[in-house]
């Protein structure tokens, strides 16, 4: 057992490109917590899983997450990470392909790739880092910006409802779905371990604190500790939510494991079968 005091140091030395530190994130940004969730999941899954993992990311602050890992990572185009990852998984199905995207990246410009990856049930793990806006470009509204929220492009409050990623992907055909926040560190790590081992399209949404934009504009909480406290106070576990009136849940973040299906065949398995048939086997 690694002593708590040495944990960060050991994880960093073992898995991260410490030579390019410090990283580019703002002080207090929750993307550092997401990095730690990923590394702890692999620390528990074991080195063999880590060695057969390739990361793919899109463009945005979130897109920088895997670039600090001592592992192959493709930093692709805004919205196109899943297209790249689909080709990678189809040609090398034995790899763990983990895609890290921002909420804008995955549900805005990349929304089409997202629903089709779920429809195909391709064995990719998607980590969707939700900060409720576009942060890299200065705090504009995203498809996850809550209705009424103030951003750079909605100074009088957004008039659009936000996407519910879990409902969207459930309808599209995903087979493993979970949502947590950076406050729910251990739960997110446990869900991620399941997602990585899952045969099919798995998505984990992690709401994280962006004190620079979401903290200042949306929540009026520029201190990242206050944002974490807000996540704690406004999250409702699915098990509790099921017993509540929908009115009571307005504005709350439902957290938990939303879906774990094993009845759909994974896409690259079908592809293998198709190849055999095409070759007359
Ligand atoms: C094709 C294209 N359109 C727009 C941009 C500009 N752009 C870069 S990142 C980004 C939004 C990032 O928001 P999100 O995906 O939520 O990531 P975050 O920075 O919030 O982590 C945009 C619009 C781009 N790089 N490429
Ligand atoms: S702008 Fe927000 S999401 Fe981007 S690094 Fe800074 S705190 Fe993190
Ligand atoms: Mg974002």
């Amino acid at each position: 057992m690694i002593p708590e005091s040495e944990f960060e140091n050991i994880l960093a030395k073992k898995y991260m490109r410490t030579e390019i530190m410090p990283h580019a994130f703002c002080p207090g940004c929750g993307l550092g917590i997401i990095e730690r969730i990923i590394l702890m999941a692999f620390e528990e899954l074991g080195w063999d899983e880590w060695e057969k993992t390739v990361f793919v990311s899109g463009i945005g602050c979130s897109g920088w997450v895997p670039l600090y890992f001592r592992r192959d990572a493709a930093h692709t185009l805004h919205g196109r990470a899943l297209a790249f990852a689909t080709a990678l998984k189809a040609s090398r199905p034995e790899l763990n392909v983990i895609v890290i995207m921002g909420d804008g990246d995955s549900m805005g410009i990349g929304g089409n790739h997202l629903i089709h990856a779920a429809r195909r049930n391709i064995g990719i793990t998607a980590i969707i880092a939700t900060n409720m806006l576009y942060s890299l470009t200065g705090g504009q509204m995203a498809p996850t910006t809550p209705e009424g929220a103030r951003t750079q492009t909605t100074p009088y409050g957004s008039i659009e409802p936000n996407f519910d990623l879990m409902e969207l992907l459930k309808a599209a055909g995903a087979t493993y779905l979970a949502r947590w926040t950076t406050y729910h560190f251990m739960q997110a790590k446990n869900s991620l371990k399941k997602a990585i081992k899952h045969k099919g399209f798995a998505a984990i949404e992690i709401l994280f604190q962006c004190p620079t934009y979401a903290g200042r504009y949306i929540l009026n909480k520029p201190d990242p500790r206050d944002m974490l406290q807000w996540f704690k106070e406004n999250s409702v576990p699915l098990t509790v939510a099921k017993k509540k009136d929908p009115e009571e849940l307005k504005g709350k973040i439902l957290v938990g494991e939303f879906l774990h299906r094993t009845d759909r065949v994974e896409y690259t398995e079908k592809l293998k079968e198709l190849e055999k048939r095409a070759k007359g086997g």
Side-chain angles (χ1 to χ4, degrees), residues 133-134 137-141 149-155 213 216-217:
L133 39 64
Y134 291 177
T137 41
Q140 298 87 356
M141 182 186 80
R150 204 168 58 89
T151 67
Q152 279 278 27
T153 45
T154 57
Y213 294 115
R216 286 189 300 148
Y217 298 148

Side-chain angles (χ1 to χ4, degrees), residues 24-31 61-62 131 135-136 208-214:
F25 305 136
C26 308
C29 175
L31 291 172
C61 295
S62 321
N131 56 0
S135 56
L136 187 79
F208 73 100
Q209 70 276 21
C210 163
T212 305
Y213 294 115

